[in-house]
């Protein structure tokens, strides 16, 4: 059951800037990738109704790629946190890939969560801001997947540490990061630092691969990196 909490510190929906339709399809907004939680929540609330169709038309493959990585790398996994689950594309992809365990979804957009609930792919759904600590105990799940979300989370180190915190030792963290943000946010350095500190061991870092190749509004040339790490 989706839990759409409108209080308790969660962002409220913001109006779009003058002259902007406010939907997520704005090429400028997508390329810039705002990290303001209120703006991100509002954009995805307004975009939720057409999001799946838009992403399908842009040949978005990341959910299926990550689902295949998880079931291949950890076929014994019984529970997954989909961090930034949106409308449920990753949860659906996990089920298509044969994952039969618990899938817990969190997202900043209440409207997106309501659509995710309709997929039937999720065990639980709750609203959350990934720039804040995740409301889960340590070692709570076998894996965390985070797909198409790190654009909006500027502190990569803090986010990836938090993902590792909630995963049991031996479990997986699988994340994506846009090619144009990879170097500016020092993602390679974060991967190595977490390895040196014994937080995780990177298994595979690939890309840049096609991200939204059929988007003609500015995102088409932008690639994506996939990071798979085993929690120590």
């Amino acid at each position: 059951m989706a839990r759409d909490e409108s209080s308790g510190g969660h962002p409220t929906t913001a109006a779009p800037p003058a002259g902007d339709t406010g939907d997520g399809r704005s090429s400028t907004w997508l390329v810039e990738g705002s990290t303001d939680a209120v703006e991100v929540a509002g954009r995805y609330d307004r975009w939720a109704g057409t999001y799946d169709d838009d992403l399908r038309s842009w040949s978005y493959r990341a959910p299926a790629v990550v689902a295949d990585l998880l079931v291949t790398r950890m076929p014994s996994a019984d529970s997954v946190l989909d961090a930034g689950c949106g409308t449920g594309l990753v949860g659906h992809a996990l089920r298509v890939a044969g994952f039969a365990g618990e899938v817990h979804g969190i997202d900043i957009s209440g409207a997106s969560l309501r659509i995710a609930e309709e997929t039937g792919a999720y065990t639980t759904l709750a609203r959350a801001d990934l720039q804040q600590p995740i409301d889960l105990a340590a070692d709570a799940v076998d894996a965390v997947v985070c797909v198409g979300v790190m654009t909006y989370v500027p502190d990569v180190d803090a986010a990836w540490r938090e993902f590792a915190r909630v995963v049991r030792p031996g479990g997986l963290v699988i994340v994506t990061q846009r090619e144009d943000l990879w170097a500016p946010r020092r993602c390679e350095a974060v991967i190595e630092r977490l390895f040196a500190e014994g937080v995780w061991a990177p298994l595979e870092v690939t890309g840049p691969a096609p991200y939204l190749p059929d988007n003609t509004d500015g995102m088409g040339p932008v690639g994506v990196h996939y990071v798979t790490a085993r929690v120590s």
Side-chain angles (χ1 to χ4, degrees), residues 2 52 87-88 111-122 125:
D52 289 5
T87 57
S112 296
L113 287 169
R114 288 189 286 273
I115 294 173
E117 184 176 13
E118 294 174 1
T119 68
Y122 291 87
L125 289 161

Side-chain angles (χ1 to χ4, degrees), residues 91-110:
H92 174 72
L94 283 167
R95 298 308 187 192
V96 169
F99 183 78
E102 295 182 350
V103 181
H104 304 280
I106 55 176
D107 197 83
I108 201 168
S109 166

Side-chain angles (χ1 to χ4, degrees), residues 5 13 17 98 130 187:
E5 300 168 354
T13 299
L130 291 181
C187 294

Side-chain angles (χ1 to χ4, degrees), residues 45 103 112 193 228:
D45 280 346
V103 181
S112 296
R193 183 161 57 248
T228 305

Side-chain angles (χ1 to χ4, degrees), residues 85 171 173 219 230:
C85 65
V173 174
M219 286 295 295
R230 192 172 303 281

Side-chain angles (χ1 to χ4, degrees), residues 65 69 177 182 204-209 224-228:
V65 171
L69 281 170
Q177 177 65 286
W182 185 259
E204 185 177 32
V205 181
T206 63
V224 64
H225 290 272
Y226 295 89
V227 178
T228 305

